[in-house]
Amino acid sequence: MAARDGDPVAQAAFVRATQAEVWRFTAALIDPDSADDLTQETYLRAFRALPAFAGRSSARTWLLGIARRTCADHLRTVLRRRRLDQRLTAHAHTDVPHPDPAGQLGASDLVRRLAPERRGAFVLTQLLGLSYAEAAAVEGVPVGTIRSRVARARAELVDAVDEALAG
């Protein structure tokens, strides 16, 4: 609340206390190469919105919600660019987002292949350790939706690992 009221020391402490988690979240949702920029954009948006923060949720939940929306906006921009590039170049689109010449996938590759809503729920609860209720607040959906998304993400990950091991 001190950060909201303009205390620069509290604002700096807020960033230091949350920056690593925001970076991990954006890296998991998008990719590590974009995480620095997305984290910075998250804090720009957060500080613009900080005067309106009413404290109805934890600052962590509020900030991760902003990070999620920042990532969603980034994906929309990337998708628009891709569609334009496809129209301009008329190249064929492959269903495999990341080629895997070695035939083995790392955990981050597997998580990145999840549908965005499942990936978000999985990362928030399983990687960042938020409760289902906190993840639901970040995603803006009911707790039951988070539970089902996490369950489906787990099932997809198990299937993907089985596929990779089968060759």
Side-chain angles (χ1 to χ4, degrees):
M1 295 316 247
R4 180 193 68 184
D5 296 335
D7 179 356
V9 174
Q11 290 173 348
F14 174 66
V15 171
R16 278 192 306 277
T18 58
Q19 185 174 15
E21 189 168 50
V22 169
W23 188 92
R24 283 185 9 206
F25 185 53
T26 60
L29 287 181
I30 305 299
D31 65 60
D33 294 335
S34 302
D36 289 338
D37 291 338
L38 292 169
T39 299
Q40 184 175 7
E41 178 64 22
T42 295
Y43 283 104
L44 288 173
R45 291 179 181 195
F47 278 101
R48 279 192 296 254
L50 196 55
F53 177 65
R56 287 187 295 271
S57 64
S58 71
R60 176 186 190 208
T61 301
W62 174 76
L63 184 62
L64 289 173
I66 292 171
R68 184 187 61 77
R69 289 185 296 280
T70 300
C71 289
D73 291 346
H74 172 77
L75 283 176
R76 278 190 285 279
T77 300
V78 167
L79 289 174
R80 267 190 241 116
R81 276 193 209 125
R82 253 190 224 148
R83 283 189 214 121
L84 178 61
D85 287 346
Q86 286 172 348
R87 279 183 284 179
L88 294 175
T89 61
H91 279 69
H93 174 70
T94 64
D95 288 335
V96 180
H98 304 287
D100 185 24
Q104 295 179 338
L105 298 173
S108 61
D109 295 321
L110 292 171
V111 170
R112 225 183 332 272
R113 288 183 174 204
L114 292 171
E117 68 279 351
R118 290 181 186 162
R119 183 173 52 236
F122 184 83
V123 168
L124 286 168
T125 59
Q126 307 305 302
L127 300 180
L128 296 180
L130 269 68
S131 70
Y132 285 101
E134 290 171 322
V138 169
E139 293 284 321
V141 298
V143 173
T145 301
I146 293 295
R147 288 185 191 284
S148 66
R149 287 178 181 176
V150 170
R152 288 187 181 118
R154 285 180 182 152
E156 284 182 34
L157 290 171
V158 168
D159 291 344
V161 169
D162 287 344
E163 248 180 56
L165 293 175

